[in-house]
Amino acid sequence: MTVELNHIIVPAHDKHTSARFLADILGLEAGVEIGPFVQLQVDNGVTLDFMDAEGFAPHHCAFLVNDAGFDAAFERIRAAGMTYWADPFHAREGEINHNNGGRGLYFADPGGHNMELLTAP
């Protein structure tokens, strides 16, 4: 049996704003609107399907990127004046981590989701 993640629904206060925000950080294009969703496709074919919602709990999404992708996204985060952390509990503000011999950081999206970039799993 083969099992692959196909998509995940990400609740958002404004699905268009959240999809564009993450697309901009990751250097991707915000996807098309399909029914109640705005899709953002990552390189392994998985889509994040942003959907307007109210009163949702924050999610965590981690994106494995190469060094060049990390550098570009990190520069966009800093250029936007965004707060970022080295840890998922947001105790080490303005730092990145070097877990597993790579680099990583956490940042919040417009819906309050805890997004993560990492270069080593």
Side-chain angles (χ1 to χ4, degrees):
M1 174 173 66
T2 300
V3 178
E4 295 181 3
L5 180 63
N6 178 268
H7 68 276
I8 185 166
I9 295 172
V10 182
H13 301 296
D14 180 313
K15 63 187 175 186
H16 295 283
T17 298
S18 289
R20 274 193 310 274
F21 169 83
L22 189 57
D24 289 347
I25 294 296
L26 296 176
L28 301 173
E29 300 229 2
V32 297
E33 187 167 357
I34 298 178
F37 308 109
V38 175
Q39 292 185 326
L40 175 63
Q41 185 170 6
V42 295
D43 292 335
N44 61 348
V46 174
T47 61
L48 285 82
D49 294 358
F50 289 89
M51 179 180 78
D52 288 335
E54 300 277 333
F56 53 85
H59 289 41
H60 170 73
C61 296
F63 300 94
L64 181 62
V65 296
N66 62 23
D67 285 321
F70 184 91
D71 291 341
F74 188 32
E75 180 55 35
R76 288 188 282 271
I77 288 168
R78 289 189 296 189
M82 293 172 50
T83 303
Y84 59 91
W85 300 267
D87 65 296
F89 307 107
H90 299 179
R92 295 173 49 205
E93 184 176 321
E95 298 178 36
I96 65 170
N97 67 57
H98 297 278
N99 299 340
N100 300 321
R103 295 178 292 160
L105 63 82
Y106 298 79
F107 62 97
D109 86 335
H113 300 298
N114 196 24
M115 301 296 183
E116 177 182 5
L117 299 176
L118 64 154
T119 61

